[in-house]
Amino acid sequence: MAILIDGKLTAAQIKERIKATVETSVANGGKRPHLAAVLVGDDGASATYVASKEKACADVGFKSTVIKMKEETSQDELLAVVKRLNEDHDIDGIIVQLPLPKHLNEQVVIKNIDYHKDVDGFHLANVGKMVLNMPGFLPATPFGILTLLKQYNIETRGKNCVILGRSNIVGRPMANLLSQKGLMADCTVTLCNSKTKDIAYYTRNADIIIAAIGVPEFLKGDMVKEGVVVIDVGITRIPDSTKPRGYRIVGDVDFKQVEPKASYISPVPGGVGPMTIVSLLENTLKSAQGKKLTWV
Ligand code: GUN
């Protein structure tokens, strides 16, 4: 039986700490952290994520501003909003929810966010700092995963870590962070993608597997070895009329098959998801405090 990596509980504990820090700081005349989120278009999942981020801000005593823009928003209109947020001294963190509608250029938009307020850690300056192991904003999901590994005292040094999925948001930064020298790192990392031949060859040799491909229940029991640590980043919505929302969230791991062989496993929901949001809060708090950022 695996130990469950409880992201919901860990995130709740971190939120309590952030809330207490904010209250003390504000009582001493400090500034209340302020996160601005830009949501373009009508993507249901994106709207849900932004609403969750807004609620999380309220939970810990942050200010939040959500700017909703129509699907047909032009690149110039979006850049004008980003510029205004960059120049607004009250705002500590800016996120532009991705994906953007197809006619907008995500990289150009991200590049125009002031990197001192880039609490998503997507700006090329923060990506560069991460690669060079310099203080900067870490992307929220990898940051959250590192925090979970640390919370559960999972040894990473010298371990074979296989990451499934090479996205800019999860897989590639995760590979970078775990291959670096230091705490919660020192792994031998294999980064698999959809063209990888015989993925099971890699996963069967893995001590740690991070699944971030968005293919529901992709990782099966016969693809892992006994004692593996499994982190499931998948969050695919599957239509389900028995659920109040009309869908259920399914991860990239076949939990029933993999859990009996694993030493640690993160569930979906309640694993990585809550940690992503709390990491965004941590970045926003640090931005408001003007602190230099370090690893977890
Ligand atoms: N879309 C999926 N994940 C993220 C995230 O962490 N930040 C933003 N801005 N968009 C996303």
Side-chain angles (χ1 to χ4, degrees):
M1 266 260 293
I3 293 174
L4 211 61
I5 298 180
D6 191 338
K8 202 172 166 192
L9 177 68
T10 307
Q13 290 166 347
I14 296 172
K15 275 170 83 175
E16 282 307 313
R17 177 165 51 72
I18 294 175
K19 189 176 177 193
T21 305
V22 171
E23 275 165 15
T24 308
S25 165
V26 169
N28 290 321
K31 151 176 210 320
R32 199 172 278 285
H34 188 172
L35 176 69
V38 183
L39 175 63
V40 186
D42 333 295
D43 181 67
S46 290
T48 307
Y49 296 142
V50 169
S52 308
K53 291 170 186 178
E54 209 180 354
K55 180 180 176 302
C57 283
D59 290 346
V60 297
F62 287 7
K63 284 207 261 180
S64 69
T65 298
V66 176
I67 297 168
K68 292 187 179 145
M69 304 183 76
K70 57 188 187 320
E71 181 84 21
E72 311 76 47
T73 298
S74 71
Q75 181 93 0
D76 284 349
E77 284 169 322
L78 180 53
L79 290 179
V81 167
V82 167
K83 183 166 185 286
R84 179 161 60 74
L85 296 173
N86 284 341
E87 289 167 358
D88 185 334
H89 292 302
D90 194 57
I91 286 176
D92 305 294
I94 303 170
I95 60 168
V96 176
Q97 188 64 30
L98 305 179
L100 288 172
K102 290 273 178 295
H103 64 281
L104 299 171
N105 185 326
E106 288 182 357
Q107 285 308 332
V108 171
V109 173
I110 292 167
K111 199 174 75 175
N112 276 276
I113 296 173
D114 177 349
Y115 73 88
H116 299 95
K117 298 187 179 187
D118 167 43
V119 286
D120 260 332
F122 293 167
H123 189 284
L124 52 92
N126 285 313
V127 175
K129 287 174 174 210
M130 176 192 68
V131 171
L132 295 171
N133 204 350
M134 291 164 67
F137 292 118
L138 291 185
T141 302
F143 185 8
I145 293 170
L146 291 182
T147 307
L148 281 179
L149 293 174
K150 183 167 179 246
Q151 174 77 11
Y152 283 83
N153 288 317
I154 291 168
E155 180 65 78
T156 56
R157 179 174 301 166
K159 300 293 181 190
N160 286 338
C161 179
V162 170
I163 299 169
L164 306 180
R166 57 177 158 183
S167 71
N168 286 341
I169 293 180
V170 184
R172 295 174 73 205
M174 203 69 243
N176 207 284
L177 290 163
L178 286 172
S179 61
Q180 290 183 358
K181 276 190 180 179
L183 190 65
M184 308 325 298
D186 284 331
C187 285
T188 304
V189 174
T190 306
L191 181 57
C192 296
N193 63 66
S194 56
K195 312 290 185 301
T196 301
K197 293 194 177 76
D198 195 5
I199 283 191
Y201 165 79
Y202 298 98
T203 54
R204 278 191 205 113
N205 282 300
D207 302 308
I208 301 171
I209 300 174
I210 298 176
I213 45 176
V215 179
E217 299 183 337
F218 174 84
L219 190 74
K220 300 292 181 190
D222 62 359
M223 295 169 70
V224 304
K225 70 175 183 185
E226 288 287 339
V228 66
V229 174
V230 179
I231 306 288
D232 190 349
V233 189
I235 39 164
T236 306
R237 289 181 174 199
I238 305 282
D240 185 341
S241 56
T242 67
K243 301 285 175 199
R245 291 193 176 125
Y247 63 84
R248 66 196 150 89
I249 302 284
V250 179
D252 289 351
V253 177
D254 188 324
F255 189 90
K256 274 207 186 95
Q257 288 190 14
V258 173
E259 187 270 343
K261 292 178 83 176
S263 55
Y264 293 84
I265 188 165
S266 75
V268 174
V272 173
M275 294 303 295
T276 295
I277 295 190
V278 100
S279 300
L280 180 68
L281 297 177
E282 294 225 61
N283 280 347
T284 307
L285 176 65
K286 283 175 180 163
S287 177
Q289 293 176 330
K291 269 194 188 158
K292 291 259 183 285
L293 296 168
T294 53
W295 303 130
V296 287

